[in-house]
């Protein structure tokens, strides 16, 4: 069964860091664009970042250089390193994947066919 599984969420103090992982099973991420999204209670889902099949990254303006997306095709995993976390980063974070072996760049709000179940990130003192 093909699936995406996020991990790495948790409770962190403001200014702290977390690294989220998005691991694929049942299929290879090699030719997939991968996106990270988040949804806070009472708010709409927000695109955070995207990485193309060749590793070009794109970020939402709201991230302001604090997050870094990367991929390790050998491990079939995409990561989101989150630094300088703020209370407003609190949300459920989802990864999503879509087969895209042609576009070298990755629009954050592109459609995605596969989604993970999400991992909770809470930033609070």
């Amino acid at each position: 069964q093909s699936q995406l599984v996020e991990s790495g969420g948790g409770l962190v103090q403001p200014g702290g860091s977390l690294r989220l992982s998005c691991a694929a099973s049942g299929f290879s991420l090699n030719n997939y664009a991968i996106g990270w999204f988040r949804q806070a209670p009472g708010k709409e889902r927000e695109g955070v970042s995207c990485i193309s099949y060749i590793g070009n990254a794109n970020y939402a303006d709201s991230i302001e250089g604090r997050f870094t997306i990367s991929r390790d095709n050998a491990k079939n995993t995409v990561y989101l390193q989150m630094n300088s976390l703020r209370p407003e980063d609190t949300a459920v974070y989802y990864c999503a994947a879509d087969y895209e072996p042609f576009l070298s760049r990755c629009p954050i709000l592109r459609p995605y066919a596969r989604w993970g179940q999400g991992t909770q990130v809470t930033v609070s003192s």
Side-chain angles (χ1 to χ4, degrees):
Q1 182 177 358
S2 301
Q3 60 178 348
L4 294 171
V5 179
E6 301 96 333
S7 62
L11 173 64
V12 63
Q13 292 187 343
S17 297
L18 284 174
R19 188 178 79 157
L20 305 184
S21 299
C22 173
S25 62
F27 71 105
S28 171
L29 290 178
N30 284 3
N31 289 311
Y32 279 72
I34 309 299
W36 282 99
F37 294 79
R38 64 187 181 185
Q39 188 164 21
K43 295 187 176 181
E44 293 186 355
R45 186 173 62 194
E46 174 189 17
V48 173
S49 182
C50 177
I51 188 165
S52 73
Y53 79 106
I54 58 171
N56 289 326
N58 198 7
Y59 301 94
D61 291 341
S62 61
I63 301 308
E64 298 178 340
R66 299 178 295 121
F67 295 0
T68 302
I69 191 171
S70 62
R71 64 190 304 153
D72 186 338
N73 287 342
K75 295 183 178 180
N76 218 24
T77 301
V78 172
Y79 303 97
L80 186 69
Q81 177 68 44
M82 306 188 297
N83 299 327
S84 302
L85 283 163
R86 306 167 180 169
E88 53 264 38
D89 294 318
T90 295
V92 177
Y93 283 70
Y94 300 89
C95 67
D98 198 61
Y99 184 72
E100 183 49 85
F102 305 110
L103 291 180
S104 61
R105 301 214 64 87
C106 187
I108 294 174
L109 297 181
R110 60 162 295 121
Y112 290 91
R114 305 172 189 253
W115 290 81
Q117 83 292 346
T119 185
Q120 175 70 46
V121 171
T122 303
V123 185
S124 175
S125 55

